[in-house]
Amino acid sequence: MEFKLNETQESIRDLAREFAEKVLKPRIDDIEEVGHFPTDVYQQMADTGLLGIAFDEKYGGIGAGYDSFVLAFEELSKVSPSAATALLITLLPLEAINLFGSEDQKQAYIGPSIEGKLRGSMAFTEPSTGSDPKQLTTTARLEGDTWVISGVKRFISNAAYDGPMLLYAKEAETGKCTAFLFDKPIEGYSTSTPWEKIGLLGSPCYDVFLDEVRVPNDDFHILGKRGDGFTILKATTAYGKLGFSAVFLGAFGGAVNAAKDYVTTKVHRDSTITKFQAIQTKFATMLSKYESCRYMVYNCAETANDHSRLEEMLGQSALVKAYVGDTAVEGCVLAMNLMGSYGVMKEYQTERFLRDALIGPHVEGQTDVQRVIAAGYYLNH
């Protein structure tokens, strides 16, 4: 296997890196203070093509694959993991539509979303469940030619923005999980105030309240087939796990860069502190963790490019997400240690990368659950 980027991959990586340095970096403090991502910067990211990297050109995408996608999201996250997360959340329902949707659904949502006109959401998690479809309490009952959906969804990103909502609910008659697709907001749909969380402050999440939301019973408003909701969810979240792995890899990379800048400029008796073996060994330990994460993410991206390997992707993405989620936290702590007291100061950014990384083990599938999923796949193949 040759770990060498082709011309397209290098171009997309450089584009994302330049955007992060020139556009995102000056707005970091604004994002942290207001707690959501600035609309004008989000539109700039869309105009640059960063939402369409992996989608087919016929829908307005670039068609460069998931290997280019993770390179771009890693570079964005080295400066602002919140920026990459804001993009990623929009992409999750689009991935589901791309994998399972009709041509009408793809035409309606993929193009406008990657142009920045819509921000999609995906809603499965509820106050009483995060991964078990049998515990869903949001129900959809059929009244004539209309589905009536009621319930509460928790921690839903982008829920307050206009765009497609991919919502999983239990059919009242059959008890099966079905994926419903509709435009938000809609009558009967409302959200809480944003949850306050430790990091990723530019990507707010909400509770969603569904008070007899009415959705037509037709092919456009159901993704895939009735009762296939959990199958669609598992496939979609495999790509979500890859995306979040790239985000937290980038957060780790940002901390590595901050630590390197510090130790190579901090002077002790006329030379930098890199002369100390304690600094060298800690830096090498941090770097080895970062490189191992990179190769796991890049390898998973290669698998993601081939949709015929979806079953393998389910196991591999779970393994990668678990490893990168935990290891990024460990790496950011090492970076903070290398910087001493400066590491905990907001001005030096490492504390922000750590706060963002701390979310990694807990979103898009909790770490221990991902290890169980990964073990289940690899023990049987």
Side-chain angles (χ1 to χ4, degrees), residues 199-233:
L200 298 180
L201 301 185
S203 180
C205 59
Y206 308 79
D207 281 358
V208 172
F209 307 108
L210 304 143
D211 183 11
E212 297 203 331
V213 169
R214 294 180 174 271
V215 176
N217 178 31
D218 57 35
D219 292 339
F220 187 82
H221 291 90
I222 292 178
L223 187 64
K225 298 178 181 178
R226 286 178 54 180
D228 283 351
F230 195 57
T231 298
I232 293 170
L233 177 73

Side-chain angles (χ1 to χ4, degrees), residues 286-358:
M286 176 183 67
L287 194 61
S288 65
K289 291 177 180 289
Y290 177 60
E291 289 299 314
S292 65
C293 288
R294 284 182 70 209
Y295 290 127
M296 286 186 74
V297 172
Y298 293 178
N299 187 44
C300 189
E302 288 287 340
T303 303
N305 281 335
D306 185 352
H307 286 167
S308 70
R309 299 172 67 185
L310 182 57
E311 185 180 3
E312 180 183 353
M313 179 66 179
L314 295 176
Q316 188 178 4
S317 64
L319 185 68
V320 173
K321 166 63 177 53
Y323 181 79
V324 174
D326 283 347
T327 307
V329 174
E330 297 169 6
C332 288
V333 170
L334 283 169
M336 185 175 284
N337 293 160
L338 280 163
M339 298 173 68
S341 297
Y342 290 90
V344 299
M345 301 300 168
K346 288 188 176 182
E347 180 179 349
Y348 287 81
Q349 302 297 321
T350 309
E351 63 84 31
R352 177 173 61 85
F353 288 122
L354 176 58
R355 286 190 289 105
D356 289 345
L358 283 168

Side-chain angles (χ1 to χ4, degrees), residues 99-111:
L99 287 170
F100 298 98
S102 65
E103 188 61 27
D104 286 345
Q105 291 169 329
K106 293 176 183 180
Q107 292 288 348
Y109 291 120
I110 295 179

Side-chain angles (χ1 to χ4, degrees), residues 8 62 95 109 134 139 172 180 221 249 305 318-319 354 377:
T8 297
I62 299 174
E95 292 291 354
Y109 291 120
K134 294 182 179 179
T139 58
F180 295 91
H221 291 90
L249 169 65
N305 281 335
L319 185 68
L354 176 58
Y377 173 79

Side-chain angles (χ1 to χ4, degrees), residues 140-163:
R141 69 178 189 275
L142 193 56
E143 292 186 359
D145 59 357
T146 301
W147 289 99
V148 181
I149 305 174
S150 297
V152 178
K153 295 295 184 181
R154 176 143 290 174
F155 304 143
I156 309 304
S157 299
N158 280 358
Y161 295 100
D162 292 353

Side-chain angles (χ1 to χ4, degrees), residues 42-63 87 90-91 94 109-120:
Y42 183 89
Q43 188 59 55
Q44 283 181 267
M45 290 194 291
D47 292 341
T48 305
L50 292 169
L51 276 162
I53 293 171
F55 290 103
D56 196 287
E57 293 179 57
K58 70 178 179 179
Y59 303 120
I62 299 174
L87 292 178
T90 295
L91 295 176
L94 300 187
Y109 291 120
I110 295 179
S113 294
I114 64 179
E115 290 173 4
K117 297 175 182 177
L118 303 172
R119 295 201 209 183

